[in-house]
Amino acid sequence: MTNLRKVNVDGKEIEVPGHYTLMQACEEAGAEIPRFCYHERLSVAGNCRMCLVEWVGAPKPMASCAMSINDLRPNRDGTPANIRTDSAVVKRAREGVMEFLLINHPLDCPICDQGGECDLQDQAVAYGRSRTRYDEGKRAVEEKNMGPLVKTNMTRCIQCTRCVRFISEVAGVEELGLVNRGESAEITTYLQANLTSELSGNVIDLCPVGALTSRPYAFNARPWELRKTESVDVMDAVGSNIRIDARGAEVMRILPRNNDDVNEEWISDKTRFVWDGLKRQRLDKPFVRENGKLREASWAEALELVAQKLKGDPQRIAAIAGDLCDMESMKALKDLMGSLGVSSLDCRQDGAAIGGQGDGQGREGYLFNSGIAGIDEADAILLIGTNPRMEAPIINARIRGAWLHDDAKIAVIGEATDLTYPYEHLGDDPAALVALAKKRGGFAKILRDAKRPMLIVGMGALARPDGAQVLREVGELAAKLNIVREDWNGFNVLHNAASRVGGLDIGFIPHNGGRDLAGIVDGAAKGEVDTVYLLGADEIDMKALGEAFVIYQGSHGDAGAHRADVVLPGAAYTEKNALYTNTEGRMQDGFRAVFPKGDAREDWAIIRALSDQIGRTLPYDNLEGLRGTLQRPDAVAFDPARLGKAGKVSDAPFVSPITDYYLTNPIARASAIMAECAMGAVGMREAAE
């Protein structure tokens, strides 16, 4: 049972757990406690002293973030200890602390990019003195180069060390530290090197002053000028909750929203800084290919040409959905193809052997069943064919947290790389799976004896020719080691694509003998498939499509648009109301922050208009009607040992499908910021070699 203790806060007696800090207890009582260094997801530093409160009877004010309720003793008469957050002593103490914090602060608020969102600014007004008594000259600190994402003005720094603690504790890279002492103390990167973490942009949100700001966003807008829209991210399959800030028709920045079950309050650098790719290389008009070159066309002409091509033999028509597609657009395209008798559909752009194998496993066969938040409970984790640091940095940070705070044991079958936490490397190919299943000791025993064992299999294991056979080996291993139990399902698939689970949920996969991705590409190369409809699909080998007529519907002029015979301009994820289902099966709403560019339209609306042109009108006229047709697969009994297909696996090692973290989709490849990051990452790898 929780150790409950009573405490009197500003005359209000409350009962809280003994491990609570004074700050938590005061906030439980409704008191507001200012702070700079304290952050609930970081270790306690206790160095800004802004959170001072008075313990009646103590000789001096106490730092409420660093003292627990268990440290308090009752009064002499046995009554609970008295804490004051609004007394004259506290007021003078906070004014004194603020006065010291502002001694060397440059006070350049009118030109500071943090203006309007600055904790120091707000708290100086609320808790500071009305004038200064400091007449000496202020110190200046040399600026630091932290790379293309984080802009520094270290003269403003108040040494709260939030950035240092985040980089070392959450991101897991020892690249920031506090050097020197006293007035010479300053935050710096070791060896004056760039930050290399895929989560480095979060230090911008953590910084309570203007010392660390966004370099790409610098001086572009003031916060009160921006229109704020809550949405979800599509750069990976995590479904991070984000806020899109826009001015006029332009997205100006992307920030995280708190969701403890998904991304907590962090987002990856690609999620945060990809916004400039939303205005470059955009498709804003329909195009048709004439004499080998694309020319502008009207919507009527483009749709008429597409309708003609889709009226052919349904066995010679196919559709592929890309990684950024929303559920509504895939459902509309599936319904249209179904009305035409087309059965060759695939949303697995990488050819992953997951879902649709006829194994009767339902959703649990392709979901992250433990849930992203379930990682916090795991005490043993096996990673198979995945590099979560590149594929899902937010999930990688969760795994690091499980190791750091709960001493979770971690092992890897796949590439040996820096994941920011220690692990046991069991091998890099399917043979290691077979060997692990036969063992009684070692990591097999750790998994078998664990209370919350977790197995995470990635696309590096499944998106290969023998992926279905590898999946069978993984499933049998999960069954043998008792990973799936009545009260716990530790079988997890980590997807890379935001659209993947949604596509599998609605059945955007081959049926009635239709071709899968490999079959579609092979059929197009051999002349057996005449027409291929690419819904935002840019990651396949376009040259392999041969002489097929290619229809491309998407938002950016990437590989698909270059190969296309007809281009239908669609909306990016920030330009439409849409549903996305993340890797754990959580369906989330994305909301429109700005309108589509030029003549571009929302994807489902384009397909609905096309159905009219073909004469197979879809039975919904609005988004609500379309969403009403969405259905998830029925729940079935899950047996991991029946996943995939039995057969021989190759001895080829597992390789992560992501070769460049910053350039994984059309929006990222259109981003100048991501290009600069990618060049920097290549330079650092070459220097290390």
Side-chain angles (χ1 to χ4, degrees):
M1 180 176 287
T2 304
N3 174 31
L4 295 177
R5 297 283 302 275
K6 291 183 179 180
V7 63
N8 188 302
V9 179
D10 295 333
K12 180 180 180 181
E13 187 174 299
I14 61 171
E15 195 172 41
V16 295
H19 66 270
Y20 267 32
T21 63
L22 288 184
M23 177 183 289
Q24 291 173 306
C26 292
E27 291 185 336
E28 191 79 13
E32 182 178 337
I33 307 295
R35 83 290 302 269
F36 290 115
C37 69
Y38 176 81
H39 192 279
E40 61 181 2
R41 302 192 195 278
L42 304 176
S43 61
V44 174
N47 55 6
C48 78
R49 320 307 286 182
M50 195 64 205
C51 64
L52 294 175
V53 296
E54 180 187 5
W55 177 11
V56 177
K60 60 181 181 180
M62 305 291 177
S64 61
C65 71
M67 190 172 188
S68 74
I69 296 298
N70 282 331
D71 294 328
L72 299 178
R73 58 169 175 75
N75 298 322
R76 292 182 182 274
D77 59 1
T79 57
N82 295 315
I83 303 298
R84 296 290 178 264
T85 68
D86 55 0
S87 66
V89 171
V90 173
K91 184 175 185 297
R92 285 196 303 272
R94 290 175 180 170
E95 287 179 351
V97 168
M98 181 61 69
E99 199 169 7
F100 277 114
L101 288 174
L102 295 177
I103 278 177
N104 285 312
H105 196 77
L107 304 180
D108 52 357
C109 301
I111 62 167
C112 177
D113 209 40
Q114 192 87 348
E117 298 175 311
C118 177
D119 290 346
L120 184 65
Q121 205 175 42
D122 296 339
Q123 293 187 37
V125 172
Y127 303 103
R129 292 169 56 89
S130 60
R131 63 182 64 189
T132 181
R133 296 177 290 178
Y134 189 77
D135 298 325
E136 289 79 3
K138 294 177 180 284
R139 75 162 185 168
V141 180
E142 183 180 353
E143 301 312 324
K144 309 297 185 295
N145 179 21
M146 293 189 182
L149 303 179
V150 181
K151 181 176 180 289
T152 67
N153 191 326
M154 302 313 291
T155 301
R156 300 170 184 160
C157 179
I158 60 172
Q159 287 84 46
C160 72
T161 70
R162 279 186 181 181
C163 56
V164 176
R165 285 174 284 146
F166 172 83
I167 286 294
S168 62
E169 295 169 13
V170 179
V173 292
E174 301 288 344
E175 294 176 344
L176 279 180
L178 183 69
V179 299
N180 304 326
R181 300 183 65 175
E183 194 177 54
S184 300
E186 56 183 285
I187 304 289
T188 183
T189 56
Y190 300 127
L191 304 178
Q192 296 295 305
N194 291 356
L195 296 177
T196 61
S197 171
E198 299 76 27
L199 299 168
S200 64
N202 290 288
V203 300
I204 297 168
D205 299 329
L206 287 171
C207 185
V209 295
L212 303 177
T213 57
S214 171
R215 187 178 293 277
Y217 171 73
F219 307 116
N220 279 351
R222 286 296 194 183
W224 52 83
E225 300 174 333
L226 302 177
R227 186 176 62 255
K228 302 165 179 64
T229 306
E230 295 183 349
S231 190
V232 292
D233 173 54
V234 299
M235 293 297 110
D236 54 32
V238 174
S240 297
N241 287 217
I242 58 174
R243 192 187 84 193
I244 303 168
D245 288 359
R247 183 176 62 187
E250 185 176 350
V251 174
M252 304 298 291
R253 66 176 179 179
I254 295 173
L255 299 175
R257 283 191 297 127
N258 186 77
N259 187 328
D260 289 344
D261 292 331
V262 182
N263 58 304
E264 297 179 306
E265 58 190 83
W266 319 124
I267 54 174
S268 69
D269 287 350
K270 184 163 54 178
T271 299
R272 182 184 297 270
F273 294 107
V274 79
W275 49 266
D276 72 316
L278 293 166
K279 59 184 178 183
R280 293 187 171 91
Q281 300 181 19
R282 290 302 305 269
L283 299 174
D284 58 358
K285 294 179 183 300
F287 290 86
V288 298
R289 192 172 296 277
E290 194 174 83
N291 300 322
K293 293 184 178 181
L294 289 173
R295 64 166 177 83
E296 290 186 16
S298 66
W299 270 109
E301 180 185 3
L303 291 177
E304 182 179 359
L305 179 57
V306 171
Q308 291 175 2
K309 294 297 181 180
L310 293 180
K311 289 178 180 177
D313 182 358
Q315 301 301 317
R316 303 178 70 86
I317 300 173
I320 302 172
D323 293 347
L324 307 183
C325 295
D326 57 276
M327 291 185 68
E328 293 93 338
S329 62
M330 289 188 288
K331 182 63 166 65
L333 184 57
K334 176 179 181 287
D335 289 349
L336 176 60
M337 291 297 165
S339 70
L340 296 171
V342 176
S343 57
S344 297
L345 312 170
D346 211 338
C347 64
R348 302 162 298 187
Q349 196 175 197
D350 54 7
I354 197 84
Q357 279 97 29
D359 48 36
Q361 294 300 294
R363 300 183 83 219
E364 290 180 283
Y366 55 80
L367 290 185
F368 201 98
N369 293 292
S370 305
I372 295 173
I375 296 173
D376 300 342
E377 303 177 34
D379 48 359
I381 303 173
L382 175 62
L383 305 176
I384 302 172
T386 181
N387 178 354
R389 183 173 177 184
M390 295 290 106
E391 298 167 26
I394 296 298
I395 285 181
N396 195 64
R398 287 263 196 181
I399 297 174
R400 174 177 166 78
W403 163 76
L404 184 65
H405 303 300
D406 300 314
D407 197 29
K409 303 297 186 291
I410 304 168
V412 170
I413 296 179
E415 293 178 288
T417 186
D418 180 13
L419 295 178
T420 72
Y421 41 81
Y423 58 83
E424 182 180 349
H425 189 231
L426 304 178
D428 61 0
D429 57 20
L433 281 172
V434 178
L436 183 63
K438 294 179 179 178
K439 287 184 178 180
R440 288 187 172 274
F443 203 79
K445 185 177 188 304
I446 292 175
L447 284 171
R448 194 178 290 110
D449 296 343
K451 293 181 179 179
R452 290 286 189 266
M454 183 177 286
L455 180 155
I456 302 176
V457 58
M459 295 303 110
L462 304 179
R464 41 188 270 163
D466 63 344
Q469 289 74 30
V470 171
L471 181 60
R472 172 59 63 92
E473 296 287 347
V474 173
E476 290 178 351
L477 176 67
K480 190 166 186 177
L481 297 180
N482 199 24
I483 300 291
V484 179
R485 308 169 183 179
E486 287 188 10
D487 60 340
W488 174 257
N489 188 341
F491 179 84
N492 300 296
V493 177
L494 178 56
H495 294 280
N496 300 327
S499 65
R500 186 66 47 82
V501 172
L504 294 174
D505 277 354
I506 65 172
F508 201 98
I509 50 179
H511 56 278
N512 298 331
R515 299 171 183 262
D516 61 6
L517 178 91
I520 293 170
V521 174
D522 183 62
K526 293 178 179 178
E528 298 170 0
V529 173
D530 296 332
T531 304
V532 180
Y533 199 118
L534 301 180
L535 181 61
D538 293 275
E539 314 306 324
I540 64 175
D541 182 4
M542 298 298 169
K543 294 180 181 178
L545 296 179
E547 300 299 317
F549 187 87
V550 176
I551 304 156
Y552 179 78
Q553 179 177 331
S555 60
H556 283 71
D558 205 73
H562 283 287
R563 171 59 183 83
D565 296 289
V566 175
V567 175
L568 305 177
Y573 72 105
T574 57
E575 300 163 0
K576 56 187 174 184
N577 297 315
L579 295 173
Y580 300 92
T581 304
N582 73 352
T583 191
E584 63 179 348
R586 181 188 300 268
M587 186 186 292
Q588 300 183 107
D589 279 299
F591 293 99
R592 181 173 59 204
V594 294
F595 286 93
K597 307 300 180 188
D599 291 337
R601 296 293 182 267
E602 293 188 21
D603 293 292
W604 77 269
I606 295 173
I607 297 167
R608 173 63 174 75
L610 179 59
S611 71
D612 266 349
Q613 191 76 32
I614 297 174
R616 302 293 177 91
T617 303
L618 295 176
Y620 31 77
D621 299 322
N622 52 48
L623 198 60
E624 290 70 26
L626 171 52
R627 288 180 175 178
T629 66
L630 294 174
Q631 292 182 341
R632 290 179 174 175
D634 295 332
V636 297
F638 178 62
D639 179 6
R642 292 186 8 242
L643 286 168
K645 295 179 181 178
K648 188 177 180 180
V649 296
S650 75
D651 57 0
F654 297 135
V655 179
S656 173
I658 294 183
T659 55
D660 193 327
Y661 164 75
Y662 296 102
L663 304 175
T664 56
N665 60 65
I667 301 176
R669 288 189 286 270
S671 166
I673 302 170
M674 293 296 99
E676 189 175 356
C677 290
M679 288 190 292
V682 170
M684 295 192 72
R685 282 198 299 268
E686 292 175 349
E689 294 170 359

